[in-house]
Amino acid sequence: MTTETLAKTPLHALHLELGARMVPFAGYDMPVQYPLGVMKEHLHTREAAGLFDVSHMGQILLRGENAGRALETLVPVDIIDLPVGLQRYAMFTDAQGGILDDLMVANLGDDTLYLVVNAACKDQDLAHLQKHIGEQCQIECLFEERALLALQGPKAVDVLARLAPEVSKMTFMQVARVRLLGSECIVSRSGYTGEDGFEISVAVDQAETLARSLLAEAEVEAIGLGARDSLRLEAGLCLYGHDMSSATTPIEASLLWAISKVRRADGERAGNFPGAERVFEQQQKGVARKRVGLLPQERVPVREGAEIVDADGTVIGQVCSGGFGPTLGAPVAMGYVNASHTAVDSDVWAVVRGKRVAMKVAKTPFVPQRYYRG
């Protein structure tokens, strides 16, 4: 794609004004970094507050009294009993139990569910919903109507509370309709950095005004995709298309925690989602490979795609995400390895430019998550 054919978010002109270096990402012209640089942007988010433009992601509303029950047929998550004012992490699965996308689902009340899906998958997700549950509920696509901002970091709550004091009372994964600068927004206390923070859905024509207001606060810096990636990697958070895909199941991706107990094999509403039989079989019998955290033992970044080998040089897996963790002060990675090497502290090696780099299997997150749970 050329720059001319890439889509642009409502904040595109602001990114250019701020001196961002733009790159193609999921069909959009997106800021990878600003003059501050990836390292400082990352550390600033951990210490204060960073503002991310995530308007490329897809926002969808499901309306109707059957919306929750209908959506449950596509995800292994408890949607029917999701309380008003809360959101949950979910996954669309296929008939083989593979992950089609991961998403957030919020109950806004009044028989309305609010979905946020990944940018690269949003058109296929919308088609998936329309094909399978379009006759059971009303599906409203907000791709062109709403922008999405993420305000992340320990001082995010101080900043946003200046515009709407009530947000300080929200806890992790709560969601509410909040008026910011006169515009009705959907605000969730959540994010993708491992830090406390908020994601803010705002009307497209109000997005720049809100972004400029937040950036005017002393604690806030604009943050690009580079630091977004290193922040989520330190927090052990998966990126769709890298750490999971239709070729991986929730069990292989180490996402059993995201399958609600009520939807598991022994739950009250067991199964009834695509690929349930295979997922349950894997849960019971185990899998041949699994996603694990990896800590390189040398100061050599290990990138996505690098082969992972055992002491004999036999290939036992592949790195799915990797880079330098500025907060940790060391390289970090995640990868899929054979079940025989998934135990914490197992010795494995990555092949980087023909040379072996020693690594240890590690628990994630690499940096403690600091979500506000009240």
Side-chain angles (χ1 to χ4, degrees):
M1 281 186 165
T2 64
T3 303
E4 290 72 26
T5 59
L6 290 169
K8 297 175 175 62
T9 75
L11 300 183
H12 188 267
L14 178 58
H15 298 315
L16 297 180
E17 179 186 319
L18 294 172
R21 182 160 72 85
M22 308 297 286
V23 298
F25 183 80
Y28 283 77
D29 197 29
M30 295 292 290
V32 69
Q33 68 177 76
Y34 298 87
L36 194 62
V38 174
M39 179 82 75
K40 289 182 178 177
E41 289 174 31
H42 177 114
L43 295 173
H44 184 88
T45 303
R46 291 266 187 255
E47 294 161 5
L51 184 67
F52 303 75
D53 178 12
V54 287
S55 303
H56 57 313
M57 298 184 76
Q59 301 176 64
I60 301 168
L61 292 179
L62 304 183
R63 301 183 190 270
E65 59 181 354
N66 292 321
R69 195 170 297 278
L71 184 59
E72 267 206 9
T73 64
L74 301 180
V75 299
V77 179
D78 180 1
I79 305 295
I80 291 174
D81 295 325
L82 177 61
V84 174
L86 284 180
Q87 67 175 4
R88 275 195 183 121
Y89 175 80
M91 295 166 281
F92 289 129
T93 52
D94 64 19
Q96 290 73 47
I99 303 171
L100 293 173
D101 196 12
D102 63 338
L103 64 151
M104 300 301 296
V105 182
N107 185 350
L108 298 181
D110 299 321
D111 294 326
T112 301
L113 297 175
Y114 167 66
L115 279 55
V116 179
V117 301
N118 283 302
C121 303
K122 64 184 183 181
D123 291 327
Q124 72 186 43
D125 287 349
L126 181 62
H128 185 65
L129 289 164
Q130 289 169 334
K131 177 182 178 180
H132 294 285
I133 65 171
E135 295 181 356
Q136 300 173 59
C137 60
Q138 180 185 340
I139 300 171
E140 186 176 338
C141 174
L142 304 178
F143 296 174
E144 305 300 325
E145 298 172 30
R146 309 289 292 186
L148 193 65
L149 308 180
L151 184 66
Q152 297 285 293
K155 296 184 180 176
V157 63
D158 300 328
V159 172
L160 199 59
R162 290 173 198 147
L163 299 181
E166 64 268 31
V167 302
S168 63
K169 296 178 182 177
M170 296 174 69
T171 56
F172 181 55
M173 296 297 262
Q174 283 193 325
V175 61
R177 296 185 187 273
V178 177
R179 190 162 287 276
L180 300 172
L181 301 178
S183 180
E184 186 175 276
C185 300
I186 301 170
V187 176
S188 65
R189 194 158 191 174
S190 61
Y192 195 51
T193 61
E195 296 293 331
D196 184 22
F198 300 87
E199 294 193 330
I200 307 161
S201 171
V202 58
V204 160
D205 61 356
Q206 298 295 314
E208 186 175 326
T209 299
L210 179 57
R212 287 184 183 276
S213 176
L214 294 171
L215 288 168
E217 299 298 319
E219 300 95 333
V220 183
E221 291 283 355
I223 312 295
L225 291 174
R228 181 171 166 81
D229 193 53
S230 57
L231 287 159
R232 69 93 191 169
L233 182 53
E234 282 188 339
L237 301 173
C238 290
L239 177 61
Y240 188 80
H242 300 260
D243 309 299
M244 55 182 164
S245 69
S246 59
T248 56
T249 68
I251 307 301
E252 292 170 327
S254 297
L255 294 171
L256 174 61
W257 61 266
I259 301 178
S260 300
K261 289 182 180 179
V262 73
R263 306 297 307 283
R264 296 183 191 179
D266 57 352
E268 293 175 23
R269 297 198 304 281
N272 194 32
F273 61 87
E277 295 79 8
R278 184 173 184 224
V279 171
F280 293 158
E281 182 182 12
Q282 289 185 341
Q283 183 185 351
Q284 182 181 13
K285 297 181 179 179
V287 290
R289 62 176 191 138
K290 209 163 191 179
R291 179 179 63 89
V292 297
L294 298 163
L295 284 176
Q297 300 300 291
E298 305 170 34
R299 290 183 69 82
V300 178
V302 176
R303 305 293 183 186
E304 177 182 352
E307 286 186 338
I308 300 171
V309 300
D310 64 12
D312 298 323
T314 303
V315 176
I316 57 166
Q318 190 174 53
V319 173
C320 51
S321 282
F324 187 77
T327 309
L328 196 65
V332 292
M334 294 191 293
Y336 281 82
V337 299
N338 292 352
S340 57
H341 288 75
T342 56
V344 171
D345 290 330
S346 293
D347 292 312
V348 297
W349 289 262
V351 180
V352 179
R353 292 188 291 277
K355 296 182 179 179
R356 300 205 319 181
V357 176
M359 300 192 296
K360 282 192 179 292
V361 173
K363 287 183 178 179
T364 58
F366 302 107
V367 172
Q369 295 171 341
R370 297 194 290 184
Y371 304 126
Y372 180 73
R373 301 182 188 276

